[in-house]
Every structure is written in structure tokens, then in C-alpha cells.
Amino acid sequence: AQSVTQLGSHVSVSEGALVLLRCNYSSSVPPYLFWYVQYPNQGLQLLLKYTTGATLVKGINGFEAEFKKSETSFHLTKPSAHMSDAAEYFCAVTHIQGSARQLTFGSGTQLTVLP
Amino acid sequence: EPEVTQTPSHQVTQMGQEVILRCVPISNHLYFYWYRQILGQKVEFLVSFYNNEISEKSEIFDDQFSVERPDGSNFTLKIRSTKLEDSAMYFCASSESGRAFFGQGTRLTVV
């Protein structure tokens, strides 16, 4: 079984400030971890993913996340927020075993960027 | 970048009617999925499909729902006798090596 917890359903930051969106997961097998972004009335766009190897992964739009196995975390960060970053962000986990490889999503964090 | 295509983008149907949501996954992918997102809520897994059969389904995916890959390219979700609570955004996804590609979604409104 796998699950994802995103702390904070709403996060507000000022433009230019650090963005930190928190994600903790549980998985009985080695996880693959993802962050997706959803703009209003749009689909899910992959920001970045961790599968194996380097634990600090860089994604699009200046975002990065670090896989910390000891903390079962995969927090998303961006050094300097931009107005265009305002969206909903979903953390998700899956694993590559068997034929059922569906994603389990967190409940999402709505990011607001203040001018 | 390859794309998953979903049609229609928005469908309005009357309660009790059947709807078919269509998806064209990425051509060399072998794993296919449907997810649902009720307005304001998180994305929920419905069903996964591999090797021409359902590999896993959630509690949401009851007898009202069915999936099919009729012609080797399309992947459809059929909802029989729709209910008001079926109103949601439905996302199709396909994957190959761990990364899932999502379509833009079909917004289903049941009235």
C-alpha cells in the first residue's frame, strides 16, 4: 500500500520568496515520486520525478525536490517565486512492480503568489 | 513531447444516461489509467489496464464503470446510468517506464 500526505492545503508566498511545498509518503516498496502542477481548468503537468539515483532532482520552471528516505519526504522547492507559479501542486507516488503502476496522489497544495 | 489526447473536453449529460469518454494514449505505452478529480478535491485513481485487461481498480470503479481498448489505439471509459456525483474531471494517462503522461481531461457534468 502507498499513500501521500501533503502538509498545507494552501500556501502563500510573496513574489521572489522561497517556495516550499511539503510531501511525505509511505510505501512498502521503493517508491517512484512525482510532483505535478495543475493550472486552472487544465490537466496535470509533470514538474519533476524521482526514480533512482541522485536524490536531488531538478524539474521545469526552476523547481527541484529532494528525496529523503530517512524522512520519507519529497519536498518541492523553488528559490524565488514568480507570479506564474500560482497553481495547484500534487505530490504522487507509485512503484514499478507488477502490472498495477497507478499513481497515488496527495490532496494537493494551492500555491498563491502575492505581488 | 508525446501527448495523451482526450475527447471530448467537456460533456454534459442527463442523469441516468450512458457516457463514453475517449482517450488516445501514447502509441508505444503499455499501461493505461483513468483517474477522476471531483471539483476541489484530489485526483483519485479509478482503474489501470495492462495487456488488454484490468490490472487494478479502486473502490470507486464499481459495476457502473467499464473500460475498453477497442482497436489498439483508443482507450475508453464507459459510465452506465450516470449519477449526479459522477460529475468530475476525468483524466486518462499512459505510462511505460514509470512516468505517466496525462491527457488534458474531460469535464463531465451530470445534470
Side-chain angles (χ1 to χ4, degrees):
Chain A
Q2 54 197 27
S3 66
V4 175
T5 302
Q6 289 184 242
L7 293 175
S9 57
H10 290 85
V11 170
S12 294
V13 300
S14 298
E15 190 173 19
L18 171 72
V19 175
L20 170 61
L21 305 182
R22 299 179 186 275
C23 172
N24 288 88
Y25 71 91
S26 71
S27 177
S28 56
V29 297
Y32 283 28
L33 295 157
F34 305 80
W35 276 99
Y36 285 86
V37 60
Q38 185 180 34
Y39 297 100
N41 299 314
Q42 293 191 27
L44 296 162
Q45 181 182 4
L46 181 68
L47 275 179
L48 49 79
K49 65 174 181 174
Y50 168 79
T51 54
T52 58
T55 56
L56 180 64
V57 293
K58 296 184 185 298
I60 62 172
N61 302 339
F63 284 93
E64 62 183 38
E66 187 171 10
F67 170 59
K68 292 187 177 181
K69 185 178 178 180
S70 61
E71 299 178 7
T72 61
S73 69
F74 191 59
H75 302 329
L76 181 71
T77 61
K78 182 174 180 177
S80 176
H82 191 272
M83 297 296 289
S84 61
D85 295 327
E88 183 135 29
Y89 292 79
F90 292 94
C91 182
V93 63
T94 189
H95 57 81
I96 304 300
Q97 289 193 3
S99 59
R101 303 184 178 188
Q102 66 272 17
L103 291 162
T104 299
F105 285 85
S107 53
T109 297
Q110 182 69 46
L111 176 66
T112 301
V113 181
L114 305 170
Chain B
E1 182 161 275
E3 282 189 348
V4 174
T5 306
Q6 288 186 245
T7 54
S9 57
H10 190 186
Q11 178 149 6
V12 181
T13 188
Q14 288 200 325
M15 191 169 55
Q17 295 297 303
E18 174 183 287
V19 296
I20 297 176
L21 310 183
R22 302 181 191 279
C23 170
V24 180
I26 294 167
S27 59
N28 62 338
H29 285 184
L30 300 178
Y31 301 86
F32 313 109
Y33 314 85
W34 283 99
Y35 293 83
R36 179 181 80 175
Q37 185 182 31
I38 294 172
L39 186 64
Q41 299 186 24
K42 70 176 178 180
V43 180
E44 301 173 290
F45 166 72
L46 291 178
V47 64
S48 61
F49 193 85
Y50 171 74
N51 199 27
N52 288 319
E53 61 182 19
I54 291 173
S55 50
E56 191 154 339
K57 57 184 181 179
S58 71
E59 293 177 353
I60 303 168
F61 194 88
D62 59 20
D63 292 344
Q64 180 194 11
F65 294 89
S66 63
V67 291
E68 200 174 41
R69 190 157 160 79
D71 55 13
S73 61
N74 292 287
F75 180 51
T76 61
L77 174 69
K78 182 189 291 185
I79 310 174
R80 288 181 280 275
S81 188
T82 51
K83 299 178 280 198
L84 294 176
E85 53 265 38
D86 294 328
S87 295
M89 182 75 93
Y90 288 81
F91 292 106
C92 173
S94 68
S95 71
E96 180 50 33
S97 56
R99 175 184 170 180
F101 290 78
F102 283 81
Q104 290 296 301
T106 294
R107 181 167 296 285
L108 176 65
T109 303
V110 182
V111 297

